[in-house]
């Protein structure tokens, strides 16, 4: 006999794995488009630190002279990206999963503690629910970013029909810049996400495929200094909510 | 509010059930992975329609239907003041542009039917009311510039030359005199109030490289549609040939 924890509902696993290749295609086709006017740099004063991107980078990824192709992919897969994102948000709202995802009052303080812990600066283990505070912030931020990509995308794709989006983004050029920065944000998110998943290990990773995890009751370690202040609330015994049937 | 406790989402299962719950989703996962791979391969194996994959061309055409006039009629690009307009206007494409052109011999040729071509000189066009437009000119490459143009409003032009009958047709086509550059534009965009037959830039005659003596300025479209040095204009219910659409770009290319 084994005790398992139902971690990810089937719907969330689908949304996650559908989003992954689609976002990949959006970023790749976006790069083909960006190449045609690739002017963004990171600079301090007059000193240029980094140019997005180097000719070698473009060449290695076979990017040059594929603007039309990039647009054709971008403006088709945008529908899938948008649709999948919309379904995910709708699902989290109606299933109640949002409770584990949205940051709460304590999240910003605890998020900082998670960061200190993960960087091995501090030994204190912040409270862990389905997601810890840093995860709540990250997984909510990524949805806000997705929303930002849609608004900035509309602002540059249809600046007349959706002129209000362009206005909201501070103009056409700034909309394009934000659209680009959000994409860099996804890439950074991806790197951190992969590193964290690898560090956390197999039991955690497999749950985004199977939905379940072997249950390991969390026994709070003695943490003399900060325990009193930040100990998680006592969980009141409450009837277990019926869970959505997760097997297709 | 109901209290959801995550750690109560537990279930005790038999070892065989546990094994099944571990293996089955991975089988599905691998099947989906393969499905995704073959779907991608299928898409990329599709025939091309003017340099891009056919299903993607169809999607671009569907996008046009979704976005064209979704939010009402008479959409206008945001306008600016003369002070906002740049002095050094970018020259990006010279396809179809000749080194010299004799404006006294040049005529705008409007094809009304077989053997029925209206020929209009630049001076005649200048008799019509002049309309200024200062807007953010957007290139499909991604850059944009606030630029100042002036010419004859397309609506005025159509009315003055009694061409309104052609407004019922689906498309207008434009070509350079040497036929090397050509565009097709849906009639709705062609007749938007900001569309002009342009003969001035920054209050001076159009420079040669900006399409002297007459070019199209159509703020609801990407720069690829703003044909320089117009030779011929015609109307059609089928899509007129379009230089960049043949190179894989969206035919509509509108905002």
């Amino acid at each position: 006999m084994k005790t398992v924890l139902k971690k990810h509902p089937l719907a969330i696993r689908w949304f996650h794995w559908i989003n992954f290749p689609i976002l990949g295609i959006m970023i790749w086709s976006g790069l083909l488009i960006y190449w045609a006017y690739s002017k963004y740099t990171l600079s301090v004063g007059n000193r240029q630190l980094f140019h997005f991107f180097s000719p070698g980078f473009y060449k290695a990824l076979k990017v040059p002279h594929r603007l039309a192709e990039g647009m054709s992919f971008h403006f088709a897969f945008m529908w899938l990206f948008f649709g999948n994102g919309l379904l995910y948000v709708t699902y989290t709202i109606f299933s109640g999963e949002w409770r584990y995802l949205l940051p709460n009052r304590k999240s910003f303080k605890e998020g900082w503690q998670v960061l200190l812990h993960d960087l091995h600066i501090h030994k204190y283990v912040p409270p862990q629910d389905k997601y810890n505070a840093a995860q709540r912030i990250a997984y909510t931020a990524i949805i806000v970013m997705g929303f930002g990509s849609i608004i900035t995308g509309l602002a540059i794709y249809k600046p007349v029909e959706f002129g209000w989006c362009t206005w909201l983004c501070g103009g056409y050029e700034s909309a394009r810049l934000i659209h680009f920065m959000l994409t860099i944000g996804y890439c950074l998110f991806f790197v951190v996400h992969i590193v964290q998943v690898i560090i956390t290990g197999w039991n955690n990773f497999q749950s985004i495929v199977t939905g379940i995890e072997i249950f390991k009751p969390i026994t709070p370690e003695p943490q003399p200094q900060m325990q009193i202040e930040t100990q998680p609330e006592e969980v009141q015994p409450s009837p277990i909510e019926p869970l959505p049937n997760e097997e297709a | 509010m109901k209290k959801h406790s995550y750690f109560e989402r537990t279930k005790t299962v038999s070892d065989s059930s546990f094994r099944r719950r571990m293996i089955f989703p991975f089988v599905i996962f691998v099947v989906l992975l393969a499905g995704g791979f073959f779907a991608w391969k299928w898409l990329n194996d599709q025939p091309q329609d003017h340099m891009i994959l056919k299903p993607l061309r169809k999607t671009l055409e569907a996008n046009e239907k979704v976005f064209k006039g979704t939010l009402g009629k008479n959409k206008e690009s945001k306008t600016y003041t003369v002070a906002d307009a740049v002095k050094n206007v970018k020259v990006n494409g010279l396809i179809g542009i000749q080194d010299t052109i004799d404006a006294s011999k040049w005529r705008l040729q409007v094809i009304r039917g077989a053997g029925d071509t209206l020929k209009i000189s630049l001076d005649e066009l200048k008799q019509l009311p002049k309309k200024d437009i200062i807007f953010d000119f957007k290139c499909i490459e991604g850059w944009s510039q606030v630029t100042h143009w002036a010419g004859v409003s397309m609506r005025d032009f159509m009315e003055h030359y009694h061409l309104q009958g052609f407004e019922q047709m689906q498309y207008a086509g434009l070509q350079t005199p040497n036929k090397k550059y050509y565009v097709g534009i849906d009639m709705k965009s062609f007749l938007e109030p900001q569309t002009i037959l342009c003969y001035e830039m920054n209050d001076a005659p159009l420079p040669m490289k900006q399409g002297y003596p007459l070019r199209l300025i159509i703020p609801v479209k990407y720069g690829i549609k703003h044909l320089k040095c117009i030779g011929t204009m015609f109307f059609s219910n089928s899509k007129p040939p379009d230089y960049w659409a043949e190179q894989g770009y969206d035919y509509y290319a509108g905002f």
Side-chain angles (χ1 to χ4, degrees):
Chain A
M1 300 295 271
K2 279 194 169 64
T3 303
V4 295
L5 187 56
K6 292 181 170 187
K7 191 168 184 180
H8 300 299
L10 182 66
I12 283 188
R13 286 177 271 154
W14 275 90
F15 296 137
H16 175 272
W17 287 113
I18 288 172
N19 185 65
F20 176 52
I22 290 174
L23 181 56
I25 292 167
M26 288 306 281
I27 292 172
W28 163 74
S29 57
L31 187 64
L32 300 186
I33 297 169
Y34 170 72
W35 170 86
Y37 185 60
S38 57
K39 293 288 177 190
Y40 300 141
T41 57
L42 267 184
S43 303
V44 177
N46 290 327
R47 230 174 85 90
Q48 182 184 307
L49 302 176
F50 189 78
H51 177 228
F52 300 95
F53 294 96
S54 70
F57 174 82
Y58 284 135
K59 208 179 156 200
L61 294 179
K62 295 194 175 71
V63 169
H65 304 289
R66 294 172 74 181
L67 169 61
E69 184 188 358
M71 292 178 106
S72 72
F73 277 96
H74 211 66
F75 301 143
F77 283 85
M78 65 177 188
W79 292 111
L80 301 179
F81 179 67
F82 170 70
N84 189 60
L86 188 70
L87 287 174
Y88 171 77
V89 170
T90 312
Y91 174 81
T92 51
I93 291 170
F94 287 102
S95 67
E97 286 290 311
W98 63 269
R99 286 182 177 81
Y100 310 118
L101 283 157
L102 278 187
N104 52 33
R105 272 176 292 123
K106 291 181 281 179
S107 295
F108 292 96
K109 182 181 154 203
E110 285 176 13
W112 181 245
Q113 292 165 345
V114 173
L115 185 70
L116 293 178
H117 174 79
D118 286 356
L119 295 174
H120 300 278
I121 294 169
H122 210 294
K123 279 206 167 80
Y124 170 69
V125 184
Q128 177 80 28
D129 196 26
K130 179 176 179 182
Y131 299 121
N132 65 40
Q135 284 176 301
R136 282 173 183 262
I137 293 168
Y139 298 158
T140 300
I142 205 80
I143 295 306
V144 174
M145 286 165 67
F147 185 71
S149 286
I150 291 162
I151 297 296
T152 54
L154 275 174
I156 38 184
Y157 182 48
K158 297 290 163 188
V160 175
E161 293 286 353
F162 287 87
W164 62 272
C165 288
T166 317
W167 175 82
L168 206 66
C169 297
Y172 183 76
E173 284 179 9
S174 112
R176 188 175 186 262
L177 176 63
I178 302 167
H179 199 71
F180 179 82
M181 291 196 301
L182 287 169
T183 310
I184 298 298
Y186 295 134
C187 297
L188 297 177
F189 178 97
F190 179 74
V191 171
V192 174
H193 190 56
I194 293 299
V195 169
Q196 294 281 41
V197 165
I198 291 170
I199 290 172
T200 313
W202 177 257
N203 190 33
N204 170 65
F205 170 74
Q206 61 78 35
S207 69
I208 195 66
V209 178
T210 64
I212 56 174
E213 238 182 39
I214 297 172
F215 183 55
K216 290 173 187 156
I218 291 180
T219 45
E221 290 164 37
Q223 285 150 4
Q225 296 143 12
M226 301 177 73
Q227 192 180 18
I228 297 157
E229 196 187 353
T230 54
Q231 194 177 28
E233 282 176 50
E234 282 293 312
V235 176
Q236 297 298 323
S238 63
I240 297 169
E241 289 295 317
L243 291 160
N245 185 9
E246 54 187 310
E247 272 176 286
Chain B
M1 208 203 313
K2 277 182 280 181
K3 189 157 180 132
H4 281 241
S5 176
Y6 171 65
F7 291 109
E8 285 169 8
R9 287 168 39 158
T10 55
K11 193 176 182 179
T12 305
V13 294
S14 70
D15 283 354
S16 67
S17 166
F18 177 74
R19 258 196 308 280
R20 192 170 49 78
R21 280 162 163 267
M22 282 285 139
I23 294 165
F24 181 65
F26 270 99
V27 172
I28 300 287
F29 186 69
V30 170
V31 168
L32 285 171
L33 217 57
F37 173 78
F38 284 111
W40 181 249
K41 195 174 174 323
W42 173 85
L43 176 62
N44 283 281
D45 285 346
Q46 289 301 297
Q48 304 255 322
D49 179 354
H50 290 111
M51 308 281 285
I52 55 169
L53 298 165
K54 211 168 181 172
L56 300 182
R57 175 69 75 187
K58 290 265 172 261
T59 312
L60 289 180
E61 287 164 3
N63 288 351
E64 173 184 342
K65 289 201 181 74
V66 172
F67 287 104
K68 182 159 80 183
T70 350
L71 303 172
K73 286 178 179 174
N74 290 347
K75 292 305 283 189
E76 296 195 17
S77 197
K78 188 188 167 190
T79 52
Y80 295 79
T81 64
V82 176
D84 297 325
V86 297
K87 293 287 163 271
N88 296 317
V89 181
K90 199 164 167 171
V91 175
N92 206 43
L94 292 171
I95 304 150
I97 302 287
Q98 288 142 299
D99 291 336
T100 53
I101 195 155
D102 184 352
S104 63
K105 289 188 184 141
W106 174 90
R107 294 288 181 276
L108 170 63
Q109 306 199 25
V110 183
I111 300 171
R112 289 183 293 199
D116 177 18
T117 301
L118 181 66
K119 292 181 179 172
I120 306 162
S121 72
L122 187 58
D123 288 335
E124 285 172 284
L125 278 173
K126 285 182 175 173
Q127 302 302 310
L128 295 177
K130 187 165 95 175
K131 184 184 166 83
D132 284 72
I133 173 94
I134 305 164
F135 77 107
D136 192 19
F137 183 103
K138 300 169 196 74
C139 176
I140 203 159
E141 291 172 349
W143 54 267
S144 70
Q145 263 191 334
V146 175
T147 43
H148 179 190
W149 313 87
V152 182
S153 143
M154 189 61 78
R155 287 186 177 179
D156 288 353
F157 171 82
M158 297 293 278
E159 191 185 329
H160 182 83
Y161 288 100
H162 306 291
L163 298 166
Q164 289 112 317
F166 294 109
E167 292 179 5
Q168 305 311 315
M169 302 194 91
Q170 297 288 307
Y171 298 95
L174 296 173
Q175 292 176 335
T176 56
N178 60 14
K179 316 263 183 250
K180 285 189 179 161
Y181 196 85
Y182 38 91
V183 298
I185 294 166
D186 59 283
M187 191 57 76
K188 183 180 178 299
S189 302
F190 195 69
L191 295 173
E192 290 290 0
Q194 290 178 321
T195 309
I196 59 172
L197 289 167
C198 165
Y199 50 78
E200 275 183 11
M201 184 184 87
N202 289 336
D203 293 320
L206 276 182
M208 201 53 100
K209 288 182 175 177
Q210 290 291 351
Y212 181 81
L214 190 74
R215 73 173 296 175
L216 184 72
I217 287 292
I218 179 161
V220 296
K221 298 277 185 191
Y222 276 120
I224 50 172
K225 296 284 187 182
H226 298 228
L227 184 129
K228 293 170 180 175
C229 192
I230 307 173
T232 318
M233 180 189 293
F234 62 96
F235 308 98
S236 165
N237 276 326
S238 57
K239 282 181 177 173
D242 187 277
Y243 185 90
W244 287 109
E246 289 170 5
Q247 309 285 319
Y249 290 86
D250 181 19
Y251 191 94
Y252 179 62
F255 306 128

